[in-house]
Amino acid sequence: MFDEFRNETFQMRAMLFCTTNDFLAYGNLSDYSVKGHRACPICEEDTSYIQLKHGKKIVYTRHRQKNAHT
């Protein structure tokens, strides 16, 4: 960072404490892929999905179960 008053640079350390955002912004913020076969950052390899034959889209199945992430 640059301190305009002192006319010098310094190393700033900061921590992001809390955010409120949608899932895509979460992916950008945390540098996590929110697309593809492992789109759920909690389930990761256990993410349940089906890839559609003709559209090549990925559909996430059984992912809204009660207590899915507890």
Side-chain angles (χ1 to χ4, degrees), residues 36-38 45-51 58-62:
H37 296 195
R38 296 186 176 120
E45 293 180 10
D46 296 328
T47 301
S48 179
Y49 69 90
I50 296 173
Q51 187 160 356
I58 297 173
V59 179
Y60 303 101
T61 58
R62 299 183 312 239

Side-chain angles (χ1 to χ4, degrees), residues 1 5-6 15 21 23 25 33 38 42 47 51 55-56 60 62-63 67-68:
M1 297 295 297
F5 183 75
R6 293 185 177 173
M15 179 179 79
N21 45 22
F23 199 60
S33 175
R38 296 186 176 120
I42 297 168
T47 301
Q51 187 160 356
K56 296 184 181 178
Y60 303 101
R62 299 183 312 239
H63 208 67
N67 300 323

Side-chain angles (χ1 to χ4, degrees), residues 13-59:
R13 293 186 177 133
M15 179 179 79
L16 183 60
F17 179 69
C18 182
T19 64
T20 302
N21 45 22
D22 63 5
F23 199 60
L24 294 176
Y26 166 75
N28 291 334
L29 182 65
S30 64
D31 197 29
Y32 189 87
S33 175
V34 293
K35 297 178 183 177
H37 296 195
R38 296 186 176 120
C40 179
I42 297 168
C43 299
E44 292 185 346
E45 293 180 10
D46 296 328
T47 301
S48 179
Y49 69 90
I50 296 173
Q51 187 160 356
L52 301 179
K53 292 179 184 178
H54 301 292
K56 296 184 181 178
K57 289 189 175 188
I58 297 173
V59 179

